[in-house]
Short mmCIF file of all heavy atoms in Angstrom, two decimals:
data_model
loop_
_atom_site.label_atom_id
_atom_site.label_comp_id
_atom_site.label_asym_id
_atom_site.label_seq_id
_atom_site.Cartn_x
_atom_site.Cartn_y
_atom_site.Cartn_z
N PRO Q 24 24.68 5.69 3.38
CA PRO Q 24 24.28 7.03 2.96
C PRO Q 24 25.36 7.68 2.09
O PRO Q 24 26.55 7.43 2.28
CB PRO Q 24 24.10 7.78 4.27
CG PRO Q 24 23.85 6.73 5.29
CD PRO Q 24 24.64 5.55 4.83
N LEU Q 25 24.90 8.51 1.20
CA LEU Q 25 25.79 9.13 0.24
C LEU Q 25 26.82 10.02 0.93
O LEU Q 25 28.00 10.02 0.58
CB LEU Q 25 24.96 9.96 -0.73
CG LEU Q 25 25.56 10.21 -2.11
CD1 LEU Q 25 26.22 8.95 -2.63
CD2 LEU Q 25 24.47 10.67 -3.05
N HIS Q 26 26.39 10.75 1.94
CA HIS Q 26 27.31 11.71 2.55
C HIS Q 26 28.46 11.00 3.27
O HIS Q 26 29.51 11.58 3.47
CB HIS Q 26 26.57 12.65 3.50
CG HIS Q 26 26.00 11.98 4.70
ND1 HIS Q 26 24.66 11.72 4.84
CD2 HIS Q 26 26.58 11.50 5.81
CE1 HIS Q 26 24.45 11.11 5.99
NE2 HIS Q 26 25.59 10.96 6.60
N VAL Q 59 27.33 14.49 -6.64
CA VAL Q 59 26.24 14.57 -5.67
C VAL Q 59 25.80 16.02 -5.55
O VAL Q 59 26.49 16.93 -6.01
CB VAL Q 59 26.69 14.07 -4.28
CG1 VAL Q 59 27.18 12.64 -4.36
CG2 VAL Q 59 27.78 14.97 -3.72
N SER Q 60 24.68 16.21 -4.92
CA SER Q 60 24.19 17.58 -4.75
C SER Q 60 24.88 18.22 -3.54
O SER Q 60 25.66 17.60 -2.85
CB SER Q 60 22.69 17.58 -4.54
OG SER Q 60 22.39 17.35 -3.19
N ARG Q 61 24.55 19.47 -3.33
CA ARG Q 61 25.24 20.19 -2.26
C ARG Q 61 24.83 19.69 -0.88
O ARG Q 61 25.61 19.78 0.07
CB ARG Q 61 24.92 21.68 -2.38
CG ARG Q 61 25.58 22.35 -3.57
CD ARG Q 61 25.10 23.76 -3.72
NE ARG Q 61 25.21 24.50 -2.48
CZ ARG Q 61 24.34 25.41 -2.06
NH1 ARG Q 61 23.29 25.70 -2.79
NH2 ARG Q 61 24.53 26.02 -0.92
N THR Q 62 23.64 19.15 -0.77
CA THR Q 62 23.15 18.78 0.57
C THR Q 62 24.05 17.78 1.29
O THR Q 62 24.53 18.08 2.39
CB THR Q 62 21.72 18.25 0.48
OG1 THR Q 62 20.92 19.19 -0.24
CG2 THR Q 62 21.14 18.01 1.84
N PRO Q 63 24.29 16.59 0.72
CA PRO Q 63 25.17 15.67 1.45
C PRO Q 63 26.58 16.22 1.60
O PRO Q 63 27.26 15.95 2.60
CB PRO Q 63 25.16 14.41 0.58
CG PRO Q 63 24.70 14.85 -0.74
CD PRO Q 63 23.81 16.02 -0.54
N HIS Q 82 28.96 32.35 5.47
CA HIS Q 82 28.69 33.09 4.23
C HIS Q 82 29.93 33.25 3.36
O HIS Q 82 29.89 33.97 2.37
CB HIS Q 82 28.12 34.48 4.53
CG HIS Q 82 26.77 34.43 5.14
ND1 HIS Q 82 25.65 34.12 4.43
CD2 HIS Q 82 26.36 34.62 6.41
CE1 HIS Q 82 24.61 34.14 5.24
NE2 HIS Q 82 25.02 34.43 6.45
N LYS Q 83 31.01 32.61 3.74
CA LYS Q 83 32.22 32.78 2.95
C LYS Q 83 32.78 31.45 2.46
O LYS Q 83 33.77 31.44 1.73
CB LYS Q 83 33.29 33.48 3.78
CG LYS Q 83 33.01 34.96 3.96
CD LYS Q 83 34.17 35.54 4.72
CE LYS Q 83 34.46 36.98 4.41
NZ LYS Q 83 35.83 37.32 4.83
P DG N 28 19.05 9.77 7.13
OP1 DG N 28 20.16 8.84 7.43
OP2 DG N 28 19.08 11.15 7.64
"O5'" DG N 28 18.88 9.83 5.55
"C5'" DG N 28 19.12 8.67 4.78
"C4'" DG N 28 19.22 9.05 3.31
"O4'" DG N 28 17.96 9.61 2.88
"C3'" DG N 28 20.29 10.10 3.00
"O3'" DG N 28 20.99 9.71 1.83
"C2'" DG N 28 19.48 11.38 2.79
"C1'" DG N 28 18.17 10.85 2.24
N9 DG N 28 17.01 11.68 2.53
C8 DG N 28 16.67 12.23 3.74
N7 DG N 28 15.57 12.92 3.70
C5 DG N 28 15.15 12.81 2.39
C6 DG N 28 14.00 13.36 1.73
O6 DG N 28 13.10 14.05 2.22
N1 DG N 28 13.95 13.01 0.39
C2 DG N 28 14.90 12.23 -0.25
N2 DG N 28 14.69 12.00 -1.55
N3 DG N 28 15.96 11.72 0.34
C4 DG N 28 16.02 12.06 1.65
P DC N 29 22.24 10.58 1.36
OP1 DC N 29 23.21 9.65 0.77
OP2 DC N 29 22.62 11.48 2.46
"O5'" DC N 29 21.64 11.45 0.17
"C5'" DC N 29 21.06 10.77 -0.95
"C4'" DC N 29 20.29 11.76 -1.79
"O4'" DC N 29 19.21 12.31 -1.01
"C3'" DC N 29 21.10 12.95 -2.31
"O3'" DC N 29 21.28 12.78 -3.71
"C2'" DC N 29 20.27 14.17 -1.94
"C1'" DC N 29 18.92 13.58 -1.53
N1 DC N 29 18.20 14.34 -0.48
C2 DC N 29 16.98 14.93 -0.78
O2 DC N 29 16.52 14.80 -1.91
N3 DC N 29 16.33 15.62 0.18
C4 DC N 29 16.85 15.73 1.40
N4 DC N 29 16.17 16.42 2.33
C5 DC N 29 18.10 15.13 1.74
C6 DC N 29 18.75 14.45 0.78
P DA N 30 22.09 13.85 -4.57
OP1 DA N 30 22.72 13.13 -5.69
OP2 DA N 30 22.89 14.65 -3.66
"O5'" DA N 30 20.92 14.74 -5.17
"C5'" DA N 30 19.84 14.10 -5.83
"C4'" DA N 30 18.81 15.14 -6.28
"O4'" DA N 30 18.11 15.63 -5.11
"C3'" DA N 30 19.40 16.36 -6.99
"O3'" DA N 30 18.65 16.62 -8.16
"C2'" DA N 30 19.27 17.48 -5.97
"C1'" DA N 30 18.07 17.03 -5.13
N9 DA N 30 18.13 17.47 -3.74
C8 DA N 30 19.17 17.29 -2.86
N7 DA N 30 18.95 17.76 -1.66
C5 DA N 30 17.66 18.30 -1.76
C6 DA N 30 16.85 18.96 -0.82
N6 DA N 30 17.20 19.19 0.45
N1 DA N 30 15.63 19.37 -1.23
C2 DA N 30 15.26 19.13 -2.50
N3 DA N 30 15.95 18.52 -3.47
C4 DA N 30 17.16 18.12 -3.02
P DT N 31 19.13 17.71 -9.20
OP1 DT N 31 18.83 17.15 -10.53
OP2 DT N 31 20.49 18.14 -8.87
"O5'" DT N 31 18.14 18.93 -8.93
"C5'" DT N 31 16.75 18.67 -8.85
"C4'" DT N 31 16.01 19.85 -8.23
"O4'" DT N 31 16.30 19.94 -6.81
"C3'" DT N 31 16.37 21.22 -8.82
"O3'" DT N 31 15.16 21.86 -9.19
"C2'" DT N 31 17.08 21.93 -7.67
"C1'" DT N 31 16.41 21.29 -6.46
N1 DT N 31 17.17 21.38 -5.20
C2 DT N 31 16.56 21.92 -4.10
O2 DT N 31 15.42 22.34 -4.10
N3 DT N 31 17.35 21.95 -2.96
C4 DT N 31 18.65 21.51 -2.84
O4 DT N 31 19.23 21.59 -1.78
C5 DT N 31 19.23 20.96 -4.03
C7 DT N 31 20.62 20.45 -4.01
C6 DT N 31 18.47 20.92 -5.14
P DA N 32 15.19 23.19 -10.05
OP1 DA N 32 14.23 23.01 -11.16
OP2 DA N 32 16.59 23.57 -10.33
"O5'" DA N 32 14.58 24.24 -9.03
"C5'" DA N 32 13.38 23.92 -8.33
"C4'" DA N 32 13.06 25.03 -7.33
"O4'" DA N 32 13.88 24.87 -6.16
"C3'" DA N 32 13.33 26.44 -7.86
"O3'" DA N 32 12.32 27.33 -7.38
"C2'" DA N 32 14.69 26.78 -7.27
"C1'" DA N 32 14.62 26.05 -5.93
N9 DA N 32 15.93 25.65 -5.40
C8 DA N 32 16.95 25.04 -6.06
N7 DA N 32 18.00 24.80 -5.31
C5 DA N 32 17.64 25.28 -4.08
C6 DA N 32 18.32 25.33 -2.84
N6 DA N 32 19.55 24.85 -2.66
N1 DA N 32 17.67 25.88 -1.79
C2 DA N 32 16.43 26.36 -1.97
N3 DA N 32 15.70 26.37 -3.08
C4 DA N 32 16.37 25.81 -4.10
P DC N 33 12.19 28.78 -8.07
OP1 DC N 33 10.78 28.91 -8.46
OP2 DC N 33 13.28 28.97 -9.07
"O5'" DC N 33 12.46 29.76 -6.86
"C5'" DC N 33 11.79 29.53 -5.61
"C4'" DC N 33 12.55 30.16 -4.47
"O4'" DC N 33 13.79 29.44 -4.22
"C3'" DC N 33 12.96 31.63 -4.70
"O3'" DC N 33 12.60 32.38 -3.56
"C2'" DC N 33 14.48 31.55 -4.86
"C1'" DC N 33 14.79 30.39 -3.92
N1 DC N 33 16.12 29.75 -4.12
C2 DC N 33 16.95 29.59 -3.01
O2 DC N 33 16.55 29.95 -1.91
N3 DC N 33 18.17 29.01 -3.20
C4 DC N 33 18.54 28.63 -4.41
N4 DC N 33 19.75 28.06 -4.52
C5 DC N 33 17.71 28.79 -5.55
C6 DC N 33 16.52 29.37 -5.37
P DA N 35 15.42 37.45 1.49
OP1 DA N 35 14.58 37.83 2.64
OP2 DA N 35 15.37 38.23 0.23
"O5'" DA N 35 16.94 37.39 1.98
"C5'" DA N 35 17.31 36.45 2.99
"C4'" DA N 35 18.83 36.38 3.08
"O4'" DA N 35 19.36 35.70 1.92
"C3'" DA N 35 19.52 37.75 3.13
"O3'" DA N 35 20.55 37.70 4.10
"C2'" DA N 35 20.11 37.90 1.73
"C1'" DA N 35 20.42 36.46 1.37
N9 DA N 35 20.45 36.21 -0.07
C8 DA N 35 19.53 36.60 -1.00
N7 DA N 35 19.81 36.22 -2.23
C5 DA N 35 21.00 35.52 -2.08
C6 DA N 35 21.82 34.86 -3.02
N6 DA N 35 21.56 34.80 -4.32
N1 DA N 35 22.94 34.27 -2.54
C2 DA N 35 23.20 34.32 -1.23
N3 DA N 35 22.50 34.92 -0.26
C4 DA N 35 21.40 35.50 -0.76
P DA N 36 21.22 39.11 4.60
OP1 DA N 36 20.99 39.14 6.06
OP2 DA N 36 20.78 40.23 3.73
"O5'" DA N 36 22.78 38.89 4.35
"C5'" DA N 36 23.36 37.63 4.67
"C4'" DA N 36 24.54 37.37 3.76
"O4'" DA N 36 24.05 37.11 2.42
"C3'" DA N 36 25.52 38.53 3.64
"O3'" DA N 36 26.76 38.14 4.19
"C2'" DA N 36 25.64 38.79 2.14
"C1'" DA N 36 25.04 37.54 1.51
N9 DA N 36 24.38 37.79 0.23
C8 DA N 36 23.28 38.55 0.00
N7 DA N 36 22.89 38.57 -1.26
C5 DA N 36 23.83 37.78 -1.91
C6 DA N 36 23.97 37.40 -3.26
N6 DA N 36 23.17 37.80 -4.23
N1 DA N 36 25.02 36.59 -3.56
C2 DA N 36 25.83 36.18 -2.58
N3 DA N 36 25.78 36.47 -1.27
C4 DA N 36 24.75 37.28 -1.00
P DT N 37 27.95 39.26 4.20
OP1 DT N 37 28.68 39.01 5.45
OP2 DT N 37 27.40 40.59 3.88
"O5'" DT N 37 28.88 38.81 2.98
"C5'" DT N 37 29.32 37.46 2.89
"C4'" DT N 37 29.93 37.21 1.52
"O4'" DT N 37 28.95 37.43 0.48
"C3'" DT N 37 31.11 38.12 1.17
"O3'" DT N 37 32.16 37.30 0.69
"C2'" DT N 37 30.57 39.03 0.08
"C1'" DT N 37 29.54 38.12 -0.59
N1 DT N 37 28.46 38.82 -1.32
C2 DT N 37 28.30 38.58 -2.67
O2 DT N 37 29.02 37.82 -3.30
N3 DT N 37 27.26 39.26 -3.27
C4 DT N 37 26.38 40.13 -2.65
O4 DT N 37 25.50 40.68 -3.28
C5 DT N 37 26.60 40.34 -1.24
C7 DT N 37 25.71 41.25 -0.49
C6 DT N 37 27.62 39.68 -0.65
P DA N 38 33.62 37.89 0.51
OP1 DA N 38 34.56 36.91 1.07
OP2 DA N 38 33.61 39.29 0.98
"O5'" DA N 38 33.78 37.87 -1.07
"C5'" DA N 38 33.58 36.64 -1.77
"C4'" DA N 38 33.59 36.88 -3.27
"O4'" DA N 38 32.38 37.57 -3.65
"C3'" DA N 38 34.76 37.73 -3.78
"O3'" DA N 38 35.31 37.10 -4.93
"C2'" DA N 38 34.11 39.08 -4.13
"C1'" DA N 38 32.70 38.67 -4.49
N9 DA N 38 31.68 39.69 -4.23
C8 DA N 38 31.43 40.32 -3.05
N7 DA N 38 30.44 41.20 -3.11
C5 DA N 38 30.02 41.13 -4.45
C6 DA N 38 29.01 41.81 -5.15
N6 DA N 38 28.20 42.71 -4.60
N1 DA N 38 28.86 41.50 -6.45
C2 DA N 38 29.67 40.59 -7.00
N3 DA N 38 30.66 39.88 -6.43
C4 DA N 38 30.77 40.20 -5.14
#
Side-chain angles (χ1 to χ4, degrees):
Chain Q
L25 205 41
H26 66 255
V59 302
S60 84
R61 289 173 51 216
T62 308
H82 293 286
K83 286 184 150 199

